Amino acid sequence: MILFIKLLLAHLLGDFTAQPNSWVVDKEAKKHKSIYLYLHILLHGILAAILVGEIQFLPYALLIAVSHGVIDLIKLHFQKNKTKRSWFVADQVLHLLVLIGVAFLYNGKTVHFLWLNNQFWILATGILFITKPTSILIKTIISIWNPESQSSHNENSLSKAGNYIGILERLFVFCFILTGHFEAIGFLLAAKSIFRFGDLKEAKDRKLTEYVLIGTLISFGSAIATGLIVQVLLLQLL
């Protein structure tokens, strides 16, 4: 485990702390012709070797550096302005998988999937349900109402901000339920109400207020219900 932590630290240093923004700009412009791409690759290998601090790890540090370069090169060639966020996530996931694989390989251990037990499937289903599926469900339920000021309100908001806020609040509520911190749900609801109060007061639209309130209550209610159901199912496994 500590080996993976060291490799993760080396990755964070190499990919974020020790990589100037000018390197990123140059790599995106020149791709495989950028000298900074190769400095970046070399830096990852050196950091991994130094932090692990074992001579026999050097071939694995080389493996990390080469795989990092290949992944970055693929991202640089295929990412577009619209897909930068997706490629960033994919890039980081692939780097982490390489680090996990190297940690297992170096320790001479095989990868077991015992963590894919019944608890995992229950939690995974619950978490997935309260993200995009619940957003679509709420949107469908409240689609019978369409306050006139809703369109102008959306024009002044960040793109899909409401959707992401809803997903995050449900994930927080879900965690609060499973950890037994029910009082935190009240604080979260109060915090959201305070932020929303200014907008709704300014809009002076009773229909919009009711529209937002219904959506918020459905969002919190679905997260609480899902959290309680998951909690009951997990307790039955004990």
Side-chain angles (χ1 to χ4, degrees):
M1 184 65 182
I2 193 62
L3 174 60
F4 172 72
I5 298 297
K6 289 179 179 178
L7 294 178
L8 180 60
L9 177 60
H11 173 74
L12 294 175
L13 289 171
D15 238 20
F16 300 100
T17 308
Q19 181 176 216
N21 192 51
S22 58
W23 287 23
V24 177
V25 173
D26 194 80
K27 287 191 301 179
E28 289 180 348
K30 299 179 182 175
K31 299 182 173 52
H32 65 280
K33 295 181 180 177
S34 171
I35 184 64
Y36 296 114
L37 172 65
Y38 302 101
L39 287 176
H40 181 65
I41 294 169
L42 181 64
L43 181 63
H44 272 278
I46 292 173
L47 285 170
I50 291 175
L51 291 188
V52 174
E54 298 174 7
I55 296 296
Q56 57 270 32
F57 187 77
L58 289 180
Y60 297 90
L62 180 63
L63 174 63
I64 290 173
V66 172
S67 64
H68 195 101
V70 172
I71 293 169
D72 278 10
L73 201 55
I74 293 172
K75 184 187 75 171
L76 289 171
H77 276 281
F78 288 99
Q79 75 175 1
K80 307 294 180 187
N81 285 333
K82 290 184 178 179
T83 59
K84 268 189 175 182
R85 187 172 53 177
S86 301
W87 273 105
F88 173 79
V89 174
D91 172 77
Q92 293 302 315
V93 169
L94 289 173
H95 289 321
L96 287 178
L97 289 176
V98 169
L99 298 183
I100 293 171
V102 169
F104 274 99
L105 193 63
Y106 185 67
N107 288 325
K109 296 180 179 178
T110 56
V111 180
H112 296 288
F113 294 95
L114 295 178
W115 52 275
L116 292 175
N117 52 22
N118 292 337
Q119 292 178 333
F120 169 81
W121 295 117
I122 292 171
L123 280 172
T125 304
I127 291 171
L128 180 65
F129 175 72
I130 59 174
T131 53
K132 192 171 182 179
T134 300
S135 295
I136 295 173
L137 188 64
I138 294 172
K139 187 178 179 180
T140 304
I141 292 173
I142 63 177
S143 63
I144 56 174
W145 302 291
N146 186 23
E148 293 179 359
S149 55
Q150 175 67 12
S151 56
S152 59
H153 180 76
N154 288 338
E155 290 174 0
N156 296 324
S157 299
L158 297 174
S159 176
K160 298 181 180 179
N163 186 34
Y164 290 122
I165 290 172
I167 291 174
L168 288 172
E169 73 186 16
R170 288 193 294 276
L171 287 173
F172 278 125
V173 171
F174 185 78
C175 292
F176 293 151
I177 293 287
L178 293 186
T179 56
H181 292 89
F182 292 88
E183 70 282 358
I185 299 173
F187 283 112
L188 183 62
L189 185 58
K192 183 176 181 181
S193 301
I194 291 171
F195 283 115
R196 278 290 193 181
F197 178 75
D199 293 339
L200 297 175
K201 184 181 178 182
E202 187 177 338
K204 295 180 180 179
D205 189 331
R206 183 181 178 87
K207 290 182 179 179
L208 177 62
T209 303
E210 293 172 342
Y211 181 84
V212 172
L213 186 59
I214 291 171
T216 299
L217 292 177
I218 294 176
S219 179
F220 273 77
S222 59
I224 292 172
T226 305
L228 291 174
I229 292 171
V230 167
Q231 192 176 49
V232 169
L233 293 174
L234 291 176
L235 288 174
Q236 288 180 347
L237 296 177
L238 299 178

